[in-house]
Every structure is written in C-alpha cells, then in structure tokens.
Amino acid sequence: MLQSSVIEEIKRIVGKEHVYTSLEERICYGYDSTPEAFFPDLVVRPATTEEIQKIVKLANHHLFPIIPRGAGTGLSGGSVPVKGGVVLDLTRMNKILEIDEENLVAVVEPGVITYELQQEVEKRGLFYPPDPASLKTSTIGGNVAECAGGPRAFKYGVTRDYVLGLEVVTPTGELLKVGGKTVKSVTGYDLIRLYTGSEGTLGIITKIILRLLPKPEAKKTLMAVYPSLDDAAHTVTMIIKKGIIPATLELMDDLTIRCVENYLHMGLPLDAEAILIMEVDGPAELVEKQAVQVAELCRENGAREVKIAADEKDRDEIWRARRAVSAAVVQIKPTKISEDIAVPRSQIPKMVRRLKEIAARYDLNLVIFGHAGDGNLHPNILCDQNDAEEMERVRKAIAELFKAAVELGGTLTGEHGIGTMKAPYLKYETGDVGYQVMKAIKKALDPNNILNPGKIFLE
Amino acid sequence: MIKVETVKTYLDRCSKCGGCQAVCPLYGETMAEPLVARGKLFLIKNHIEGKLELSPKMKELMSLCLLCKACMENCPNKIPVDQLVLWARQKIAQEKGISFVKKNIFQHLLKNNGRLTIAARLGYFYQHSGLQWLVRKSRLLELFGDLAKKESLLPEMAKVPFRNQVPRLLPVSRPQKRVAYFTGCLTNFVFPDIGYAVINVLRNNGVEVVIPEQWCCGIPALASGDEETAVDLARKNVKVFQRENVDAIITDCASCGSTLKEYAELLETPEARSFAEKVLDFSQLLADVVGFQPGEEELSGLVVTYHDPCHLRRGMGISEAPRSLIKAVPGVTFKEMKESDRCCGAAGSFNLTYYELAVSIGRRKAKNVQDTGANVLLTACPSCIMQLRHVLQLEGSDVQVLHLAQLLDKTYSNAEKKS
C-alpha cells in the first residue's frame, strides 16, 4: 500500500482530479484484454513528461511499482498491475504534435489512438501501415511498447519498422532521447529497437517519431476457398515466388470457417479446410493485374472457389467473415485464450497439424486463424474460466503449443508480447544465455525494479 | 428486471476487448475506463461476485452512462450493456433508495397528470412573470455551482399543454389509416408546435388521429432504477390505448417510442405485447405504411442535415425512414453529417446532472452539424432538440433545429403557422 503522504505528493504533481483513489475506479485499471486482473493501489493520469519524471523519481525514493498503460487492449497481460503500485494511464497525452509531409514523419504523444493517426495522415495522402486488430482503440504508445503487428506486417513490417525516434523517461526518472527524423542512424547501440517491444519494463515512452509512407493508390481484395490446407499454404508460397507481395494474406482454418458460417450464415462452405483472404495494393494498374494473377494462382493450386471484390461492398462482405471471427468463436465457449505464435512460412501446415493434435490430446476447442504471409498464427482456445479442470488442460496445451512453435524454428509471440501470460515459457526460446542477457539489461536500467515488475521474467 | 443469472451470462460474454472505447461518447471525452462499457461490466461483475459494495461511487459510475447503445452495436458479442447498467441502477435504487427529489417527481408527478400540468404551469409562470428575469439578473443561481447553466437548459414551457389545446379526435374524410398519438411529455408541455405539425402532416396524408388520455412513458423512472413507477405508468397507458380501435400507436419522440416498445417485456402480458407491436415512430408510419405525399408549397434554399436519435436508430432500428422522408421533400438539399448517430449528450436528464460533460459531447455534435453547411438540423426526438438547440447556441450557430414533422409540415398550404 502507498503511504497517504505519497498519494498527496502525486496529487500535487498531476492535480487531484487526475488521480483515482476509489476502489471502484482503481479496479477498472487492473485488467487488459486477457483474463488477467489485478488491483493497483493508485491510478494516475499525467499530462506531461515532467509530471512523469517526478512520479518516477518519487517511486525510486519510496520504492513502489509503476505500470505504464495505454488503452488496456493488450493480449499478454503487459499492462496489468501484478504487484499493485501505480498504474500510469497515458491516454491524456494524446496530441499529434507534427505531421512533417516533407520528411514523411509524424511526431506523436503516446496516447494517440492508432486509427486516429492513420486517418490524419491519410488525409494528407500518407500512410502509417501497422494495423493491429485493436487499432480503433489501441494507442501508439502501447503499440510501440508491445511492438504491435497486424495483417499488413508481411509486406509493410511491424511497429518497430516505423519508429525513428523516441523520448523516454528512464526507470530512474531521467529523460532519454534517441533517434530523430532520419531513416538512417547508427549512433551507438540501437536503443530504439531495445525500447520498441520492451513492454513498459525499461522506460515510459513519452514521445514517438514515426516514419510514414505515401499512401498506396489502390487495393484489391480476394477470397479463396480450399478443400485442403496444404494447398492454401502452398498457394501463398507460389504467390510470393511470382514476385507478388500481397499487403495481407489472412488464413482461417476449418473450425473457424464453421464458427463464422454458423454465426453469420453468409454461405461459407462447411467442408472447406481453409480460406485465404488476400489484399494487393499499389498503383491502380498494377493492382488490377496482380489481382488477376493471384486469382489464377489460387485456382492452379487447388482453390475451389475464388472471388475478387468488384467494389467496396464486395470488399466489406469478404472482410465481414474475417472480422466476425472473434465474436463467432466465443459462441462455442465464453473464455478465449488467444495465442500468437509465429513460424517460418513454410512450416504453417506442419504447425497447424501439431496444434490440432495438441487440442485433440487435451480435448479442447481450438480454432486457428492468422497471417499466412508472415507465419504468425492465432490459435485460440475456447474454454470456460469458471471450469478449473478445463483451465488446467488449457495450461498444459499452451505449454505444448509453445514448444511446438519453437521446435519448428518459430517464436512464442509474433505481436502480442510476453507480459505475464507467456513469462513461464520465455526460456523455451531464449535459452539460459538469452534470458540472462535480458535480465542483465533490465537490472542495469532499472536497479530498483520499479517499472512493470512481474512481466517478461518470472520473478 | 432481468434475472441475476441472465446478467451473469451476459457478463461472461465480455472478452474485455475494449472495442467499446471507440464509440462511447463519454469515453471519447474523458478516456476514463470506469465510464466505458468494459469498465462498467467489470464493476457489475465484481459486485455480483461480492467484491464490491453498492457504494456512492458505484452509484455515480453507473449513473454516468448515456444508455445510447453505441457500445452494444459495436460489441463483437452483442452484449446488451444498457440492460446491465439499468439492472445495476435498479439494484442500487432498491437497496439504497433513490434521491428525494427524483422519488417525488416519479411517484407524485409522473403518475398524476393533474399535478404534472400544475408543475408545467408553474414553470410557465416562472418564465413569464418576470421571476426568471429576476433570478437570472440577480445571478442568484451562480451561488449553487453550475445551477445557473443548468437553468439555461430549461425549455420554455407551453402556456397550455398541447393535449388541452387540441380535441381528442381529429377526423379526416375517408381515412386510409386511424392512429392513436402518444404525444410524450415534451411535446405536451414544451413543444406543442411539434404536436400540431405531426397532426397536420398525418391528416394531409389521410390519417385520422385520436389522442387518448395518457401518462409519461416511464423512461425517466426506468433510467433511474425505479421500475415500480415505470410498471405503473405502463399499465395505465396500455389500459387506455387498448380501448382505441386503431391501426397503430405513433410517437414523435424516439425515447418514448423505444420505451413503449419495451412494455412487452416490462409487463409480460398479452395486452402489453399487442400494444408494443402497434407502436410506430411517426416517420415509420409515413414512410413505410402510409406512403408520404408532400404538399404543394415550394421550399427553397433549405440545406438540411439529420441527427439520428439513439433511441430511434439503435432503440427502434429506424434510420432510413426519416432520410427517405426528407429526400421526398422537393427543393430541400440533404447533407449527411459525420457521426450522425453519435449521441448528442441529452440522454434524458443526463445533461442536467452532468452538465459540463453533456455539453462537451454536444459540442462535437454541433461541430459536425456546422461542417455540413446546413441551415436546418432535423431530428426526431424532442429531448435531442432541447440539447441540440442549447449546444448550437453555445457555439454561436444560427442553424435552426426542427423536428422532422415540422419540415414536412412546411410543404402544406394549411401548415401550422404557430411557430
């Protein structure tokens, strides 16, 4: 518990209306989009970097944890206050400070909502590609802290590929500025990459310089239905071999298709093993040509049915299936454990089979969808968190699916982060040495273990 | 009141994805997690699990909801958030009681038309006797925080309530339909002009109108957790309207309309069900049943935009009918505004309780209205009209705010010239 004198001091720093002390308000800052929930001692909503520095210094003096938080839509438990302490809600710092059209960069505060930034830059003919599913609510600060990805990652990369500079309050309350508006910079260690994806454990990001692209002129959406999953996976390889890099290549497995069809009744084939939803973008002429090429490739490689969206309405209809996945699958059971392993693209069919074996062994409902272009799969286990026995089976299945991913040359998490949910499995991938190096970095930068304790590493 | 088991199943469906943040008007202004649906559902869940008391803070947080249903529409799991918030409010009302003022209004005014009329007349007297002038001049209300601002929200009361001005039956020769008109309290006590416009448009389209004696629809009581009063009012209304041999029961108020529709679940009687089935919004009757015919009058120079009342669009599922009527009026240019279905911030008496918050929500709406370049803003709910006029005035805008019926009425040579 925090001493009341400390609470008073924090109120003086940020203003008392920006500090939540009541039980009811604090409890609303103890969760994210996972089933995890804890209880912060205090919620503080600062408006400036200076306020944050003062609070961090206070924390080092009185030794209380600080948990930085954006919109709280993470999927790894990254922003939940495992050890209590102060939740630092950064949503009030939500200004787009600059959109520099000449240098193609945007300078933003951490609380800016991803979608709002995208809307603003697109008005100017520019493009910020990272598109996590939560983009209408998630914040850029959260995206950077977790290194969020999205369907467009195969062609356009993930958040880290767009961060050019950062302003960070260090765990001891100093102000660190790294990078700037240049695309190239090799001055010393690459701290930007260190901080991007650091999950709030190494610093509090207070300003972000992002790289922008010119907005692609056109896009075209396709959907292909496959009787065989292997054929779908093979098609992806063939498309890339042809020199076409689709902006998105979304895969849905048989169970996912059935759930969506039961939910929407939109005429999806119940006997299909896979559906691919693909989007090509770029100059209008090229896009038209590529869409036709992709459709041909799909047919040549075993697709039973291929649709090219003729207009915006068709496009929406195709995406409706993908967008409905989350809602459709929870019709099976209410609790959804969403994982995000990634494997080398060629291993997708093998990984899918391994996942299905694991689900069968533990008698669990498992649906798989994800990003076929970059090998990032989202196996989702549908269960009931009130059923302790089932949750135990879920835990065992998850441990196995992580092992399988690593064995196939993959990773525990493509875009959600380790947080609390995957902390027990970290060493599967990093090994002892990797683990020790990461811990050493944390220890060196945050000697008092102030920032987001209980994350990434099991303590 | 829904059962606690039902509440629990709904709560289990919340995956805490936070998608509600994108559309919640309160979250949009405050970015405060306890105000968004995800936060509220989590609070209710913790209460049911015995971890949270129904404290004053809990009561405050539950009262901070516009019941605009935007979150429900956007929710991947379609959780009926408004029902859950109302469940909590009702539980709080039962266990902790409701405020003295509200209790008296609900139980002594709403249930008694005579007293309600007297109260409205007192309001008229306050506004016209010079008392309001004196109070405003003296700046007396400024002593009570933002009471002065809230007072400025009070609409001007009608000298005589609408239902006392018009006959019970308004016949037409060879009627194609016969309807009973549920006027709602605002049309009755504040906006008789809207009532006259509704009647005139209907009669010009061959619809005979009967206006039975009636009571408040009950939404103010329901929204505050006083289901008992709401049930009482519903019973009275059903009983009276049941006696009328009519094709439909129509409303000019989205909030009344959606509440009347809910009588079926509230009373769970066959009579209430058949009553609820007959309820139509004014626009729905005209567009979908009667086939609206505009009059001969030329309207020119009108650039019109339309605000979707939450209770019409999401409550009753009506968004096309008003637009098709507007487009059917010759000489009118229709311009769609951005976020036309985002709550204006009125939300019943929310704007009285949380004035500053309601105004900041309303200003966003006012800006969207102004961006269209329209000179007339139409909507289909008197409660929205009050709020929209107030915020547009604060923005220094001269956009005229009218009920849809008032625009349609302008096309007839016998239009109601009272306004």
Side-chain angles (χ1 to χ4, degrees), chain B residues 23 69 91 118 231 321 345-346 373:
Chain B
V23 294
K69 300 174 193 257
K91 193 143 187 284
I118 292 171
V231 164

Side-chain angles (χ1 to χ4, degrees), chain A residues 20 22-25 27-29 31-35 37 45 69 71-73 91 94 136-137 263 327 330 334 386, chain B residues 12 15-19 21-22 27 30-34 38-39 42-43 46 52-53 55 57-58 61 76-78:
Chain A
Y20 293 157
S22 80
L23 199 66
E24 292 81 1
E25 286 159 319
I27 209 170
C28 292
Y29 289 84
Y31 56 72
D32 61 2
S33 293
T34 65
R45 311 182 68 197
R69 185 181 192 270
T73 54
T91 53
N94 61 353
K136 284 196 174 172
T137 50
Y263 188 64
V330 289
N386 301 319
Chain B
D12 277 342
S15 65
K16 302 210 253 66
C17 72
Q21 290 178 353
Y27 186 83
T30 62
M31 281 92 68
E33 186 73 27
R38 177 171 70 162
F42 196 67
L43 288 170
N46 276 274
L52 283 179
E53 302 274 322
S55 63
K57 191 56 160 187
M58 189 78 155
L61 293 173
N77 299 331
K78 300 280 171 257

Side-chain angles (χ1 to χ4, degrees), chain B residues 339-382:
Chain B
E339 302 178 332
S340 69
D341 64 346
R342 195 175 171 101
C343 180
C344 64
S349 61
F350 183 91
N351 54 358
L352 283 176
T353 321
Y354 299 105
Y355 177 82
E356 297 292 343
L357 205 46
V359 163
S360 62
I361 293 169
R363 280 185 195 269
R364 176 162 169 163
K365 176 64 70 177
K367 189 183 171 295
N368 286 333
V369 170
Q370 287 169 303
D371 285 349
T372 63
N375 47 30
V376 174
L377 166 61
L378 294 178
T379 190
C381 179

Side-chain angles (χ1 to χ4, degrees), chain B residues 10 18 23 26 74 113 124 139 169 214 218 233 254 268 286-287 308 316 336 339-340 349 376 392 396 405 407:
Chain B
Y10 287 140
V23 294
L26 289 177
N74 198 49
N113 281 333
Y124 179 83
R139 305 170 80 178
L169 178 70
Q214 52 194 266
L233 293 166
E268 294 182 315
L286 273 183
D308 286 285
M316 297 175 76
E336 198 70 70
E339 302 178 332
S340 69
S349 61
V376 174
L392 281 162
L407 174 84

Side-chain angles (χ1 to χ4, degrees), chain B residues 214-260:
Chain B
Q214 52 194 266
W215 289 265
C216 166
C217 67
I219 196 172
L222 265 186
S224 299
D226 181 0
E227 191 176 276
E228 197 190 316
T229 299
V231 164
D232 192 58
L233 293 166
R235 281 208 188 102
K236 286 179 165 160
N237 282 322
V238 169
K239 196 170 161 196
V240 168
F241 277 79
Q242 208 192 338
R243 289 193 213 120
E244 305 295 337
N245 177 27
V246 290
D247 300 303
I249 297 163
I250 63 135
T251 65
D252 61 35
C253 170
S255 299
C256 296
S258 64
T259 310
L260 299 182

Side-chain angles (χ1 to χ4, degrees), chain A residues 19-31 38-43 69, chain B residues 32-48 50-64 88 92 96:
Chain A
V19 176
Y20 293 157
T21 53
S22 80
L23 199 66
E24 292 81 1
E25 286 159 319
R26 284 184 287 138
I27 209 170
C28 292
Y29 289 84
Y31 56 72
F38 296 89
F39 202 18
D41 296 311
L42 202 67
V43 178
R69 185 181 192 270
Chain B
E33 186 73 27
L35 301 196
V36 80
R38 177 171 70 162
K40 289 204 173 71
L41 300 193
F42 196 67
L43 288 170
I44 297 173
K45 187 176 159 76
N46 276 274
H47 166 66
I48 291 177
K51 293 176 203 154
L52 283 179
E53 302 274 322
L54 295 175
S55 63
K57 191 56 160 187
M58 189 78 155
K59 183 175 174 177
E60 181 196 329
L61 293 173
M62 289 302 144
S63 75
L64 277 160
I92 293 165
K96 306 285 164 180

Side-chain angles (χ1 to χ4, degrees), chain B residues 258-274:
Chain B
S258 64
T259 310
L260 299 182
K261 281 273 176 206
E262 282 164 19
Y263 278 9
E265 289 87 55
L266 193 63
L267 299 185
E268 294 182 315
T269 63
E271 293 79 20
R273 214 161 292 130
S274 85

